[in-house]
């Protein structure tokens, strides 16, 4: 054991060294995972697993070790006493202390057992999904829910376990709050979807025109530039499922998947992931290598990706700049398409079975199906064996569709097999935050439509950077929303936005 | 300090745990470096440098720490006493001890200073090469040579520093030995090049035909298969300079650079790098995560890459299978090219200025230029300021060419700026080993030409695996060559091979 940090300067330097080492380990884990998703061969998985397990154990030991505990205690005391007055450092200590407390709550043997269970569940789920075989995966759901309830109780024995998990993904979020959110959104969306179902859909054969991989690749870079990524601090890679990751100050990357007969899948994946990456790129550089680097929550992260993908990316105003990019790369397909035709085509609202392919309007209904089932699993009202029936009922009820098989039903998402329960709500919150940002932007003098129409999104980025991006993990979601919008989350904005946009699109 | 390992079983398990941790750190370094070379954005360099520095320091501390020293001492004693009889474990202890001894020889402050010097030199070299500006880089050469001489003295104060460095790259190699090698090879190659200079060169306009990137990409995979890589344990990526890397049992990758008007550059880069990768893929799986994993030396590694690239890949017999691949992907270019035309085209021998683009015959002359200058720098006969003149003299003398600028002269290679002196000879040794393998293969009943002509290289791979690949780092180069060829390295085979091949090609 090293000597306790004797002066505030020494303490500051010791804390920063601890943060830097944690950061380095996490950077290496992310690089190794990215390598696994983008280029590593199949048979390299065992070695990667070994290395990731090694780093995860080192990271947990470092974060929760005696030395780190002592440093956090000394740091908190120094802030309390007024020996540390630097606001950033105080934030670092607060966030480090919370990370440490939560990591410490789970005993190492539980952590190892959980990691093993998730690994196993994930492997079984992959096969089960391919074979649409619910039964083989079913036992894992009950085991996972039990394990996660135990984790939640270890983190906070005084609260409802599902609330504890929601709070892990979106600080401050409770089931009561999300219930109210769902009630309000459902009340708007379900009748809207029904009304639209009676209207004709636009013709848009160009959506499935063949656009070669090479063309889609170079087009993707133009979209990253349009979002405003610093291209010297970003990269594009190709994966089974698109994702993005912030690795470091100066390194946030986007991945996409190209289907030659579905250009828009690539277009909106890239814009979405670029929205995540630009958030990571614009965290205050002073936070580099500290606990404050990176995005603050899943919901806030999703609000950034969806703002670029939907709120701007699927707005009427943006069709001009978007069409210019499409025409530059695929003139034979987009030369004759008008802005209006493009706008209608990228906003076709129609119930469908797969969440990741759902349109902006029906998307929240997919979240509600999952959320309701998770709640029932956690309350004990339902068990894994009830899921297929509940999934079918809720899909019929909300989307008016029959579930033809489990692959397009309860096996479609990777979240549960990955041990993530309480995660889905953050997707719906992202869009709701966006709808609330719009009047705030307007009030602050930012003309979003003018920026979208010009293709120069700098004014929007400046506002997002000031209100959201630069704060990194120093502020939690509720605080950011309150400061940006002057009010807490209010689903009314989201409902109004959907009613206005889709009402106009379908002439309701 | 943990308790000393009390039983042979405990000692074995402690040693293996140490090896595994060292392996994991080295795996992560390689993944991070690969990420840097293939996909990471420019501004991600600082973070990667931070992470690599962290791992390198951890790795050095772990390898040379008290605990590791104690384990190595206990391991060596147990082998000595006969408590450890397992041959593999004894090899692991021997190689670990050597790695440890050499790492320990350099004090940490020297190591850090050297790393910093190399980083700085490398950055300056990149700019200097682009600007063909020798003067800015010149001071680094003197500093690097002084630093490396000091390292060599720390590793072994009783030997000539240049011999110590040669031994680092190729165990057992001495300057006296390489001098003799050069004298013999020079005596064959210089007159051969002069004679060929008086003969007409073949027409081969197809070499510069346009072959699109996408076509070259898919063609590359066929070449990896032709070499015989396990495609589930390999991957192909795209970089500024082609390289290969073995990451783990089950993960050895190839990179290439595509020029659309120079398909053969890609073809032979891929075959060459696949030759390195297949060696790494075929080390005894029992060596995974131990000190014995990976190739044993640079010279042996280069012998494998050049065997596939030149000895087989540019042989008359291989033109059939190669032409089949070329025609499958680029029929409009290769449909009318005959095997004979292809054979002559890929074996054009002609003095040129750039080592990496040199043909099989003139290549060793490029090595001799560098080797002679390194020897003069280490003996004190020359200083950095003398290099341009020496480079020009030697280029004129060996290749009959004038050096037009430093970028195509002494600034062309990355080795010196990277702190690698004594490395170049291994490239020439690789080809010489290959020429000596040929009669050994024949004696062991392997018909290399028949395998090359059929496109099924399995018999050649089986021999290489038995003689070279499977041994990993358990045997040093001289031992491998003696066992495979029944004699030590003999440059006569290489000279005969070049005389026969190029004599026939140019009708001498």
């Amino acid at each position: 054991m090293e000597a306790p940090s004797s002066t505030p300067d020494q303490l500051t330097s010791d804390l920063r060294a601890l943060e830097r080492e944690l950061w380095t380990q996490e950077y290496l884990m992310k690089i190794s995972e990215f390598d696994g998703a983008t280029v590593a061969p199949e048979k390299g998985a065992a070695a990667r697993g070994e290395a990731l397990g090694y780093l995860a154990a080192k990271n947990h030991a470092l974060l929760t070790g005696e030395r780190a505990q002592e440093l956090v205690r000394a740091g908190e005391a120094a802030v309390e006493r007024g020996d540390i007055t630097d606001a950033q450092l105080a934030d670092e200590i607060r966030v480090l202390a919370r990370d440490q407390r939560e990591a410490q709550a789970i005993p190492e043997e539980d952590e190892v057992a959980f990691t093993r269970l998730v690994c196993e569940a994930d492997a079984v789920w992959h096969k089960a999904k391919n074979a649409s075989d619910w039964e083989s995966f079913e036992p894992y759901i009950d085991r996972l829910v039990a394990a996660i309830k135990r984790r939640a109780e270890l983190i906070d024995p005084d609260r409802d376990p599902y609330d504890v998990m929601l709070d892990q993904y979106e600080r401050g979020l409770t089931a009561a709050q999300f219930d109210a959110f769902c009630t309000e959104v459902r009340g708007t969306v379900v009748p809207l979807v029904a009304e639209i179902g009676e209207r004709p859909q636009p013709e848009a054969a160009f959506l499935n025109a063949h656009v070669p991989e090479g063309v889609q690749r170079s087009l993707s870079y133009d979209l990253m530039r349009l979002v405003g990524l610093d291209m010297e601090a970003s990269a594009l890679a190709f994966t089974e499922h698109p994702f993005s990751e912030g690795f470091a100050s100066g390194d946030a990357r986007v991945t996409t998947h190209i289907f030659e007969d579905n250009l828009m899948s690539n277009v909106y994946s890239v814009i979405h992931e670029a929205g995540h990456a630009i958030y990571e790129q614009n965290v205050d550089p002073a936070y580099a290598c500290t606990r404050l680097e990176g995005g603050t929550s899943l919901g806030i992260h999703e609000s950034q990706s969806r703002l670029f993908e939907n709120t701007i990316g699927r707005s009427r105003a943006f069709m001009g700049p978007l069409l210019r990019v499409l025409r530059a790369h695929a003139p034979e397909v987009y030369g004759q398409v008008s802005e209006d035709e493009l706008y209608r085509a990228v906003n076709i609202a129609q119930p469908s079975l797969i969440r990741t392919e759902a349109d902006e309007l029906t998307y929240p209904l997919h979240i509600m199906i999952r959320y309701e089932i998770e709640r029932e699993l956690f309350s004990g009202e339902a068990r894994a064996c009830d899921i297929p029936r509940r999934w079918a009922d809720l899909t019929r009820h909300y989307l008016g569709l029959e579930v033809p098989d489990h692959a397009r039903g309860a096996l479609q998402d990777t979240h549960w097999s990955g041990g993530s329960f309480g995660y889905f709500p953050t997707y719906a919150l992202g869009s709701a935050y966006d709808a609330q940002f719009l009047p705030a932007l307007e009030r602050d003098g930012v003309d979003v439509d003018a920026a979208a129409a010009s293709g120069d999104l700098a004014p929007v980025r400046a506002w997002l950077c000031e209100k959201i991006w630069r704060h990194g993990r120093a502020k939690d979601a509720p605080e950011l929303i309150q400061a940006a919008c002057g009010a807490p989350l209010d689903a009314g904005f989201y409902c109004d936005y959907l009613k206005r946009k889709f009402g106009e699109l379908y002439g309701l």
Side-chain angles (χ1 to χ4, degrees), chain A:
Chain A
M1 176 64 56
E2 295 166 51
S5 311
S6 45
T7 65
D9 277 359
Q10 183 59 45
L11 177 59
T12 302
S13 133
D14 290 348
L15 279 162
R16 289 262 162 84
L18 171 64
E19 289 183 90
R20 185 170 281 265
E21 188 167 356
L22 290 166
W23 176 88
T24 306
Q25 293 171 343
E26 290 156 19
Y27 167 87
L28 287 164
M29 281 194 263
K30 287 192 270 189
I31 291 289
S32 183
E33 282 163 355
F34 184 84
D35 178 76
T38 55
V39 59
E42 204 178 318
K43 290 184 182 169
R48 185 168 53 258
E50 173 88 21
L52 286 171
Y54 169 80
L55 281 172
K58 287 271 169 201
N59 196 248
H60 190 264
L62 182 63
L63 176 60
T64 62
E66 269 183 54
R67 169 81 178 154
Q69 287 187 48
E70 189 189 293
L71 281 173
V72 166
R73 273 195 303 271
E76 288 180 320
V79 172
E80 182 77 21
R81 273 200 314 274
D83 283 350
I84 284 177
T85 53
D86 180 74
Q88 175 179 329
L89 185 58
D91 278 334
E92 290 172 39
I93 292 166
R94 180 177 50 76
V95 173
L96 175 63
R98 183 168 70 185
D99 290 344
Q100 187 180 69
R101 206 161 45 239
E102 290 177 354
Q104 250 171 327
I106 317 287
E108 206 185 317
E109 60 272 25
D110 282 57
E111 193 64 49
V112 170
F114 185 69
T115 304
R116 218 172 271 144
L117 175 60
V118 164
C119 262
E120 207 183 314
D122 201 60
V124 171
W125 168 77
H126 271 282
K127 282 190 193 148
K129 183 180 173 182
N130 284 336
S132 198
D133 165 25
W134 173 258
E135 282 66 32
S136 66
F137 181 57
E138 188 182 288
Y140 288 95
I141 291 276
D142 288 326
R143 288 172 65 193
L144 283 162
V145 169
I148 291 163
K149 282 169 87 164
R150 178 169 155 75
R151 289 170 77 82
E153 276 153 20
L154 287 164
I155 293 170
D156 189 344
D158 300 329
R159 297 177 64 198
D160 179 83
Y162 195 72
D163 276 345
V164 175
M165 293 320 294
L166 284 176
D167 183 72
Q168 290 285 301
Y169 296 115
E170 194 71 5
R171 297 288 170 193
L173 183 65
T174 64
Q177 199 184 338
F178 197 69
D179 281 342
F181 175 90
C182 289
T183 303
E184 190 166 355
V185 173
R186 198 160 44 224
T188 297
V189 173
V190 172
L192 204 50
V193 171
E195 274 190 88
I196 288 173
E198 289 164 15
R199 300 286 166 136
Q201 291 288 6
E203 283 289 322
F206 59 85
L207 290 179
N208 299 114
H210 182 90
V211 181
E213 191 179 334
V215 172
Q216 294 206 34
R217 279 176 184 254
S218 52
L219 185 150
S220 302
Y221 288 100
D222 278 355
L223 296 171
M224 290 164 73
R225 285 186 201 98
L226 203 49
V227 167
L229 279 176
D230 175 352
M231 299 300 282
E232 289 181 357
S234 194
L236 177 68
F238 302 88
T239 47
E240 182 62 26
H241 302 285
F243 69 94
S244 64
E245 183 69 83
F247 296 88
S249 168
D251 191 349
R253 307 181 200 165
V254 165
T255 82
T256 186
H257 188 105
I258 289 174
F259 300 98
E260 295 198 322
D261 59 355
N262 189 351
L263 172 61
M264 284 304 149
S265 166
N266 177 37
V267 163
Y268 284 104
S269 286
V270 169
I271 297 178
H272 179 99
E273 302 306 339
H276 283 299
I278 200 167
Y279 178 12
E280 297 278 331
Q281 274 189 357
N282 286 282
V283 170
D284 189 339
Y287 294 174
C289 307
T290 74
R291 296 314 280 176
L292 306 182
E293 193 166 82
T296 196
S297 76
L298 292 170
I300 295 294
H301 236 305
E302 201 67 14
S303 75
Q304 303 310 296
S305 57
R306 282 168 195 252
L307 190 128
F308 286 96
E309 180 195 353
N310 290 336
T311 319
I312 290 176
R314 285 190 165 92
S315 70
R316 178 63 188 82
F318 191 66
M319 293 301 111
L322 179 59
L323 202 50
R324 278 199 291 280
V325 171
L326 298 173
R327 284 180 176 162
H329 292 273
E332 64 296 345
V333 179
Y334 285 92
Q336 302 306 316
V337 174
S338 73
E339 290 183 20
D340 275 323
E341 285 169 320
L342 183 62
Y343 179 56
R344 296 239 33 203
V346 301
N347 284 297
I348 292 173
Q350 203 161 34
S352 61
L353 289 163
I354 307 295
R355 177 186 58 83
T356 56
E357 294 165 13
D359 57 78
E360 193 179 356
L361 179 66
T362 59
Y363 190 90
L365 302 177
H366 290 266
I367 299 307
M368 290 174 203
I369 293 168
R370 289 146 182 81
Y371 172 69
E372 290 190 30
I373 292 173
E374 289 187 358
R375 292 271 279 149
E376 291 166 11
L377 290 170
F378 270 69
S379 73
E381 276 173 76
R383 289 168 48 84
C385 58
D386 304 316
I387 292 178
R389 186 183 42 78
R390 291 294 295 136
W391 195 286
D393 288 349
L394 289 161
T395 301
R396 201 177 300 116
H397 190 58
Y398 292 151
L399 293 161
L401 297 174
E402 294 302 318
V403 178
D405 51 45
H406 300 298
R408 283 174 283 182
L411 286 175
Q412 69 180 264
D413 296 306
T414 181
H415 301 64
W416 290 346
S417 70
S420 297
F421 287 77
Y423 184 123
F424 284 117
T426 66
Y427 289 130
L429 291 183
S431 298
Y433 291 147
D434 284 345
Q436 200 163 347
F437 290 151
L438 286 176
L441 277 151
E442 197 184 329
R443 197 186 50 234
D444 291 340
V446 181
D447 187 337
V448 176
D449 271 348
S454 75
D456 175 5
L457 302 175
V460 180
R461 286 196 297 269
W463 188 88
L464 291 171
C465 189
E466 171 62 26
K467 303 292 183 187
I468 309 287
W469 299 345
R470 68 185 180 90
H471 302 291
R473 297 181 73 214
K475 295 188 193 303
D476 288 338
E479 195 183 347
L480 288 175
I481 298 301
Q482 179 69 45
C485 307
L489 175 66
D490 175 350
F493 293 98
Y494 184 36
C495 294
D496 289 347
Y497 164 84
L498 292 173
K499 261 190 289 199
R500 195 171 55 247
K501 175 170 180 177
F502 289 91
E504 274 170 24
L505 270 160
Y506 284 91
L508 306 177

